[in-house]
Amino acid sequence: MLVSNNSYEAPQSFILNGIPGLEALHIWISLPFCTMYIISLVGNLGLTYLIYYEESLHRPMYFFLAMLSLIDLFTCTTTLPNALFIFWFKLKEINFTACLVQMFFVHGFTGVESGVLMLMALDRYVAICYPLRYATILTNSVIAKAGLATFLRGILLMIPFPFLVKRLPFCQSNVISHTYCDHMSVVKLSCASIKINVIYGLMVALLIGVFDICCISVSYTMILRAVVSLSSADARQKAFSTCTAHISAIIITYVPAFFTFFTHRFGSHTIPPSLHIIVANLYLLLPPTLNPIVYGMKTKQIRDSIIKFFHDEKGS
């Protein structure tokens, strides 16, 4: 990689080492990963088709859920096949450009997913606090614009990441102790200062993660105030039940995300690398796997639509 005494060229490829320390267990680790990936494919494709097929689900809440399902599907597909190739066939080499592309899409899709969760919280806020104006506030046009703005925010903020990495000199090892190209895992291999990368990464985390969590927190604070003020216990129960699936999705997404984020920056010397990498994979795999199941179990309209769909198929 050395070009001259003071300059270095980028490596032609990186070696993704999988889960360090657990190489002997890669085959066994791949089994639950593969199972979860198959469940996520079936669940998210099925849920998206169901929302498209069933007219009773043509409402803002379910349009946002369809967006979440598609983003979850793209997110796990960006990394899981690559991880399975490492576990099964020892195909660890990844081209430098392909690594940057994977990094961009991983962080871009996770940023978009956070934005969709925020939009879903705002949807619940409008539905519970302004039920009579729900249909007039969240029109199809508003939903489309909000979804497009969320997508563009997540993608545009991630564009600088590949360029910030490409400018770095890599004069050390080209072995990445991970199953996919994560921004911090790659830049730590550089022999130059990564201060700009770290600062920009924190800025993006503030603009996306912290902003979205603040909006979600404010939305649910207003929802809680509105629900508590209801006189009927049945009305309170019904209002809370419409939020349980979304709250579960928030927990499933943000808990492993925060663990991964803080471990990279503050806990790299105290958290075992194998645990960090497993959680980083679950961060991308758990939401796509569990969200369709949670929404299918917690949302009566989806359960009824599934029964109706199979009844119609059987009848035809």
Side-chain angles (χ1 to χ4, degrees):
M1 287 183 285
L2 185 62
V3 176
S4 65
N5 291 334
N6 297 313
S7 62
Y8 298 85
E9 65 177 1
Q12 292 185 348
S13 62
F14 287 114
I15 303 297
L16 292 168
N17 213 24
I19 304 177
L22 298 179
E23 288 85 357
L25 300 176
H26 274 180
I27 291 295
W28 296 106
I29 294 172
S30 71
L31 297 180
F33 276 32
C34 182
T35 302
M36 293 170 71
Y37 182 54
I38 293 171
I39 292 172
S40 69
L41 289 177
V42 175
N44 287 289
L45 286 173
L47 186 57
T48 303
Y49 179 75
L50 182 68
I51 293 170
Y52 169 79
Y53 168 85
E54 184 55 56
E55 289 188 8
S56 64
L57 298 180
H58 291 180
R59 297 168 55 192
M61 172 183 174
Y62 303 108
F63 289 147
F64 289 131
L65 179 57
M67 292 181 197
L68 183 67
S69 294
L70 290 175
I71 292 299
D72 280 344
L73 194 62
F74 291 143
T75 302
C76 64
T77 301
T78 303
T79 59
L80 256 295
N82 193 68
L84 294 177
F85 284 145
I86 295 171
F87 294 153
W88 292 341
F89 309 114
K90 310 298 181 185
L91 299 177
K92 300 182 177 183
E93 187 174 1
I94 183 170
N95 180 271
F96 180 75
T97 302
C99 183
L100 296 183
V101 171
Q102 185 184 53
M103 177 199 308
F104 169 75
F105 281 116
V106 167
H107 294 295
F109 287 142
T110 53
V112 175
E113 181 180 39
S114 177
V116 173
L117 288 173
M118 177 194 66
L119 293 179
M120 295 174 78
L122 296 176
D123 166 78
R124 291 298 84 206
Y125 164 70
V126 175
I128 293 173
C129 297
Y130 303 98
L132 299 180
R133 298 172 55 195
Y134 180 67
T136 57
I137 293 175
L138 290 178
T139 61
N140 289 342
S141 174
V142 170
I143 294 169
K145 290 176 182 177
L148 179 61
T150 300
F151 178 81
L152 291 177
R153 183 196 65 165
I155 296 299
L156 292 177
L157 285 175
M158 301 305 166
I159 288 177
F161 276 124
F163 295 100
L164 289 174
V165 172
K166 197 169 184 178
R167 70 179 180 84
L168 292 173
F170 290 89
C171 51
Q172 302 180 34
S173 171
N174 68 333
V175 177
I176 303 173
S177 295
H178 215 306
T179 57
Y180 61 87
C181 290
D182 174 77
H183 174 245
M184 289 303 297
S185 297
V186 174
V187 299
K188 284 180 179 179
L189 298 179
S190 174
C191 52
S193 172
I194 60 173
K195 189 175 182 179
I196 295 176
N197 296 70
V198 173
I199 292 173
Y200 185 75
L202 289 172
M203 185 181 75
V204 169
L206 288 173
L207 290 173
I208 293 182
V210 176
F211 176 80
D212 291 348
I213 290 173
C214 287
C215 290
I216 291 170
S217 300
V218 171
S219 297
Y220 273 102
T221 300
M222 301 300 290
I223 289 171
L224 186 61
R225 289 178 58 186
V227 170
V228 169
S229 66
L230 295 174
S231 57
S232 169
D234 290 339
R236 289 196 294 269
Q237 177 63 30
K238 184 177 180 180
F240 273 127
S241 67
T242 64
C243 300
T244 53
H246 182 243
I247 293 172
S248 300
I250 291 170
I251 294 171
I252 292 168
T253 300
Y254 282 113
V255 169
F258 278 123
F259 179 90
T260 302
F261 178 82
F262 286 113
T263 300
H264 254 316
R265 287 157 178 82
F266 309 112
S268 57
H269 300 295
T270 57
I271 303 296
S274 57
L275 176 61
H276 165 66
I277 294 169
I278 289 174
V279 174
N281 278 275
L282 292 177
Y283 157 51
L284 301 178
L285 189 55
L286 271 180
T289 304
L290 297 181
N291 283 343
I293 298 173
V294 169
Y295 274 95
M297 293 175 60
K298 295 288 186 180
T299 309
K300 182 178 183 300
Q301 291 89 339
I302 292 179
R303 293 199 305 270
D304 292 343
S305 297
I306 292 173
I307 294 171
K308 181 177 181 295
F309 174 80
F310 282 107
H311 183 268
D312 291 346
E313 289 295 311
K314 184 178 179 181
S316 63

